[in-house]
Amino acid sequence: MTSTRNRPLVRNPQALSFRVCRWCVCWLLISWSVTALAADPFEIPPAPEQGGEAWLVTFGPGQIYWERFGHNAIWLREPALGLDHTFNFGFFDFEQEDFFLRFMRGRMLYFSVAQPADREFDFYRQQNRSIRVQKLNLSSVQYNSLRDHLLYEVRPENRDYRYDYYLNNCSTRIRDAIDIALDGALAERTRQMPASLNFREQTRRLTQMQFWYYLGLELGLGFPVDREVSRWDEMFVPGVVADELADFSVAVGEFGKPLLAVDTMLFTTTMPAPAEAPSQVWHRYLAFGLILTVLAWLSGKFMPPVWLAGLSQAWILNAVTIGLLLSALWLFTDHEVTRPNANLLLFNPLLALALLPALRRFGAVVLAGGVVCAAVLLVFPVRQYNLDVLALVAPVNLVVAAYLWRNSYRREGA
């Protein structure tokens, strides 16, 4: 064993200096961030001296995929009852019985929660998510109706509800609660009003900056999310609820007062705001599909013929697996937004037959024909939008189809 007693404590003084400088810079950045947050405290208005007040709270999108749609809550403040809580419907529990089975079958349970407002605001501020608050100009009768409804909803025996991505989510529940307080005036105004964007367009604009998440949603969501919807339906997005209430500021409250008494930001995020409409991103998926195809073709130049045969079979297995999953979502689950799905033209389970040498040409026809049919469907005015999936898959499917046709059983036996 070698003694370390006489070894120098610092082997590389320059490296130590670099580390010290690096830690100093990190410490200064952290200190600056903390100071900046401390210098920008929440300017929460004082609670009412008597009676109660209700606010719509809208939290902006976050960076994680499940945060991309934003979130909202209703903030009740009534000192006499000890109320200074946000009520929201966006909670689920991984420990729930049969959680993953319910998720796969489209029978997921969410639940409502009331929690101290300051704690919730601090959480979203730490997540760098914007916080918009809108004070509702409600009469005492309307406020009591809203308060009683929310208190009823958070009771243990009432808090669970069957979640639906678009029709019954955390935002539609907030919409419904406000509509109850307004005696149905919000529904009356918006049920016949066309939406600015349908379900798919809202989904695309809020997720298009995340390559794989966006692609997965475009792959799984079928024709139902492309149908025309009303402004009422569009309020599945929390930001739309906030914007609609801002526009809905005429003769709703008591004595013809505007609906909103205050509309302000408690905290503004540094993240870029989502686009107002989805942009075209099909070119990035086309480029990715072309790169995959070219790399596979080039690899075949340096590998034995069995290599390309293996890649073709691997792609067929991949397509069959995805096709079976899409078919299962359509036929055996309650995920109504997945059926029907035009992406089954591109990922056809019948491709499994192409693994048989005698049916390779059949597989080639299925692959090429699916691409052609999917492209033709996009021309129709009423259709499922799946251009991004088509752009990625078409180059690979067409090349694999050409390979299967040229290397069919008949050609090998000739």
Side-chain angles (χ1 to χ4, degrees):
M1 180 178 296
T2 306
S3 172
T4 60
R5 181 177 301 175
N6 296 323
R7 292 183 181 178
L9 296 178
V10 180
R11 296 184 180 180
N12 190 339
Q14 292 181 348
L16 178 62
S17 299
F18 175 76
R19 293 193 188 97
V20 172
C21 291
R22 183 176 62 184
W23 281 109
C24 287
V25 171
C26 292
W27 181 84
L28 288 173
L29 289 175
I30 294 173
S31 299
W32 177 83
S33 301
V34 173
T35 303
L37 288 175
D40 184 25
F42 287 126
E43 296 183 3
I44 297 179
E49 296 182 0
Q50 59 181 0
E53 61 184 24
W55 300 67
L56 172 65
V57 184
T58 306
F59 303 107
Q63 293 181 330
I64 305 174
Y65 64 89
W66 65 75
E67 301 173 343
R68 290 310 308 163
F69 290 82
H71 189 44
N72 55 5
I74 294 178
W75 177 24
L76 296 184
R77 310 180 79 191
E78 189 172 354
L81 295 182
L83 270 181
D84 192 356
H85 293 71
T86 55
F87 292 73
N88 74 77
F89 298 83
F91 285 80
F92 59 89
D93 185 5
F94 285 111
E95 301 299 324
Q96 182 187 93
E97 184 179 0
D98 298 328
F99 174 84
F100 288 103
L101 180 60
R102 286 181 174 274
F103 173 76
M104 291 300 297
R105 298 177 65 186
R107 301 177 182 180
M108 195 170 178
L109 290 179
Y110 270 53
F111 59 90
S112 56
V113 167
Q115 56 187 349
D118 56 352
R119 186 172 67 186
E120 180 139 312
F121 293 156
D122 285 341
F123 171 80
Y124 282 96
R125 189 186 186 196
Q126 292 172 11
Q127 297 296 314
N128 192 24
R129 296 175 63 179
S130 62
I131 306 174
R132 180 183 181 182
V133 293
Q134 297 167 297
K135 184 179 179 180
L136 304 180
N137 211 351
L138 303 177
S139 68
S140 58
V141 173
Q142 290 171 329
Y143 169 80
N144 290 338
S145 175
L146 177 61
R147 179 201 62 202
D148 293 345
H149 170 75
L150 293 174
L151 290 175
Y152 175 84
E153 289 293 317
V154 298
R155 291 179 183 175
E157 65 271 21
N158 302 325
R159 67 176 194 163
D160 292 341
Y161 70 96
R162 177 83 169 270
Y163 182 83
D164 184 279
Y165 302 104
Y166 297 103
L167 303 178
N168 194 21
N169 68 3
C170 54
S171 184
T172 64
R173 289 253 161 172
I174 294 295
R175 174 203 66 189
D176 294 346
I178 295 173
D179 188 55
I180 289 173
L182 299 178
D183 301 316
L186 182 60
E188 182 180 359
R189 168 185 163 90
T190 58
R191 282 191 183 276
Q192 303 302 320
M193 182 186 300
S196 58
L197 299 172
N198 63 25
F199 290 153
R200 186 181 298 276
E201 290 165 338
Q202 285 286 1
T203 302
R204 289 179 58 217
R205 81 173 181 91
L206 291 168
T207 61
Q208 63 188 10
M209 67 291 299
Q210 294 180 305
F211 187 96
W212 293 112
Y213 181 46
Y214 175 91
L215 181 63
L217 290 175
E218 286 296 280
L219 180 62
L221 294 174
F223 176 70
V225 299
D226 292 278
R227 64 182 176 88
E228 296 298 322
V229 296
S230 68
R231 183 67 167 175
W232 172 263
D233 298 319
E234 193 180 13
M235 284 190 277
F236 82 95
V237 177
V240 176
V241 180
D243 292 341
E244 180 57 32
L245 294 191
D247 293 337
F248 191 43
S249 56
V250 289
V252 175
E254 189 179 19
F255 307 119
K257 295 183 294 186
L259 177 59
L260 295 185
V262 178
D263 188 347
T264 188
M265 299 294 296
L266 283 186
F267 178 73
T268 302
T269 180
T270 58
M271 293 186 291
E276 295 184 0
S279 58
Q280 295 294 332
V281 294
W282 60 266
H283 53 275
R284 71 185 185 188
Y285 294 102
L286 177 61
F288 187 68
L290 289 172
I291 289 172
L292 287 179
T293 305
V294 170
L295 289 177
W297 179 76
L298 289 177
S299 67
K301 297 292 184 180
F302 305 99
M303 302 293 287
V306 71
W307 171 255
L308 288 181
L311 289 180
S312 298
Q313 291 185 354
W315 179 254
I316 291 173
L317 287 172
N318 175 72
V320 169
T321 301
I322 294 176
L324 289 174
L325 177 59
L326 296 180
S327 299
L329 288 172
W330 181 350
L331 299 173
F332 304 115
T333 75
D334 293 342
H335 293 287
E336 295 184 5
V337 294
T338 66
R339 55 181 183 262
N341 193 333
N343 289 319
L344 278 166
L345 294 169
L346 304 173
F347 299 96
N348 195 325
L350 292 177
L351 283 172
L353 298 175
L355 297 174
L356 301 174
L359 295 177
R360 285 180 182 174
R361 288 200 170 184
F362 170 80
V365 172
V366 172
L367 283 170
V371 170
V372 173
C373 291
V376 170
L377 285 179
L378 288 173
V379 179
F380 286 80
V382 179
R383 80 287 190 261
Q384 174 183 332
Y385 178 89
N386 65 338
L387 177 59
D388 306 296
V389 177
L390 176 62
L392 185 148
V393 175
V396 186
N397 275 12
L398 292 176
V399 169
V400 173
Y403 177 85
L404 292 176
W405 189 269
R406 292 181 58 187
N407 295 273
S408 66
Y409 178 80
R410 292 178 183 176
R411 181 178 178 86
E412 290 176 355

